[in-house]
Amino acid sequence: MELHTFTEPAIVMNADADFRRQLKPSALFRYVEQAAADHARAYGMDDAFFKAHHTAFLVGKQAVKINRMPTRAEQLTLVTACEQCKKGSMKRLTRLLDETGEELALVDARWIVVNTDEEKIVRQPSWYTPDFWNVDLDGELPQLVHKTQELTDAGSRTASYSLCDLNHHVNNSFYLDIACDALPLEAIEAGPLTFAAVKYHREIPMGAQVEVKYGPSAEGWYVQGRRGEHLAFECYLRFGTPDSAAV
C-alpha cells in the first residue's frame, strides 16, 4: 500500500540555536508543527477551511527521539505522514533528515480534532481528504511521562504574548521552553536533549499563570505545570549522549 507523505526543506535559523549552536528543543517542535500545517494546506485545509468546519487540530501529546540535534544553518528535510483518526486521535510521524538522508530525529505527535464552537473533541472529522491520511503508520515512540513524587518549586510562568499562538493559548512547542527554563542549568549543560515526552492536559490561555515544579526521574527529569488544582501539562526530558536503548 502506498505511503502518503509530505516533504519540505528547512534551515536551522540563528535565533533558533542555543549556546551549543544546536537547534533548541522548542524550535524542533515548531519546525515539525510547520510541516504539519503546510501538509494540511497543501490538501486544501487552510484557515478558511477550518473556520468553515468549526474545527481545529490540537496536539494532545507528543514525543521526540533525537539521534543528533541539528546545528545552526544546517539544511534539513522534514518528512511527515499521518494516520486516519482513530478514537479521536490522529498519529503523525515526522522525521528530520540531514543532507545525506540520515535521520536526525523522529517526532511522534498525537493530534486531536476539536469543535471550536463547543470546545469538544471530535472523534471523527466530518470531511475526507483523499491521499492525506494513511490507514496505518509503522513505528511509534513511547508516550510515557516518568513521574516523581519529590518535586522542587520552579515558580510560576505567565502565558505571555510571545508564548501564545493563533488559538490564544500557549503553543505546544513552547512547553519545552517552560520545562527547560525550570530545570537546573547543570541538567541542560549535561548535553543536548535526546528524548522528551509531553502530555498536554489543559490549555494555558494567554495571560494565565501556571505553577511549575520539577524533579529527577528515570535517568532524566520530570516537569509539571498546574493551573490551580489541575494539571496543565507534564513532560519527561532526558539530556546527554544519544542512546539507541529503549526510551
Side-chain angles (χ1 to χ4, degrees):
M1 182 178 296
E2 180 184 1
L3 179 64
H4 303 298
T5 64
F6 178 81
T7 301
E8 72 176 18
I11 185 170
V12 178
M13 307 295 289
N14 283 4
D16 290 334
D18 65 8
F19 63 92
R20 295 186 181 89
R21 298 177 179 245
Q22 294 180 341
L23 187 63
K24 293 177 182 176
S26 62
L28 191 156
F29 271 6
R30 290 202 308 276
Y31 291 10
V32 168
E33 180 185 1
Q34 187 65 48
D38 291 342
H39 183 196
R41 278 192 283 269
Y43 284 81
M45 290 179 279
D46 56 11
D47 289 347
F49 175 93
F50 287 111
K51 183 177 181 180
H53 286 81
H54 306 277
T55 55
F57 274 120
L58 300 177
V59 182
K61 59 183 178 180
Q62 61 182 331
V64 56
K65 184 177 184 296
I66 300 163
N67 301 319
R68 177 177 69 78
M69 189 64 85
T71 57
R72 184 173 73 97
E74 185 168 6
Q75 298 280 348
L76 307 174
T77 299
L78 283 78
V79 181
T80 188
C82 59
E83 281 188 349
Q84 296 174 345
C85 284
K86 299 176 181 179
K87 298 181 180 179
S89 177
M90 182 188 79
K91 180 170 79 171
R92 177 181 285 277
L93 298 179
T94 305
R95 291 176 166 82
L96 279 71
L97 311 178
D98 69 7
E99 292 184 279
T100 71
E102 179 184 357
E103 184 175 300
L104 302 181
L106 170 65
V107 176
D108 179 352
R110 307 303 171 92
W111 292 75
I112 56 176
V113 181
V114 176
N115 182 300
T116 53
D117 293 334
E118 301 176 0
E119 297 184 349
K120 293 182 179 179
I121 295 175
V122 178
R123 292 184 65 84
Q124 287 293 336
S126 60
W127 67 89
Y128 177 73
T129 307
D131 299 332
F132 178 75
W133 285 291
N134 295 277
V135 176
D136 291 295
L137 285 179
D138 291 332
E140 63 181 18
L141 291 175
Q143 302 284 338
L144 177 64
V145 171
H146 299 279
K147 300 184 180 184
T148 181
Q149 299 300 318
E150 299 180 8
L151 296 173
T152 299
D153 190 353
S156 65
R157 288 290 301 268
T158 300
S160 58
Y161 163 81
S162 62
L163 297 178
C164 296
D165 60 18
L166 72 167
N167 294 309
H168 210 262
H169 62 227
V170 175
N171 180 265
N172 75 84
S173 65
F174 287 113
Y175 286 78
L176 282 182
D177 278 340
I178 294 173
C180 289
D181 287 347
L183 295 176
L185 280 178
E186 55 265 29
I188 306 297
E189 292 172 341
L193 185 74
T194 59
F195 179 82
V198 188
K199 290 186 176 180
Y200 308 93
H201 295 288
R202 288 173 176 80
E203 66 179 28
I204 307 176
M206 189 160 65
Q209 295 281 326
V210 58
E211 300 297 324
V212 184
K213 296 183 179 182
Y214 70 91
S217 178
E219 300 182 353
W221 295 87
Y222 169 76
V223 183
Q224 68 168 223
R226 286 184 174 272
R227 290 181 56 209
E229 298 180 353
H230 302 290
L231 276 172
F233 74 92
E234 297 177 283
C235 61
Y236 169 73
L237 306 97
R238 193 165 66 230
F239 302 88
T241 303
D243 190 342
S244 60
V247 292

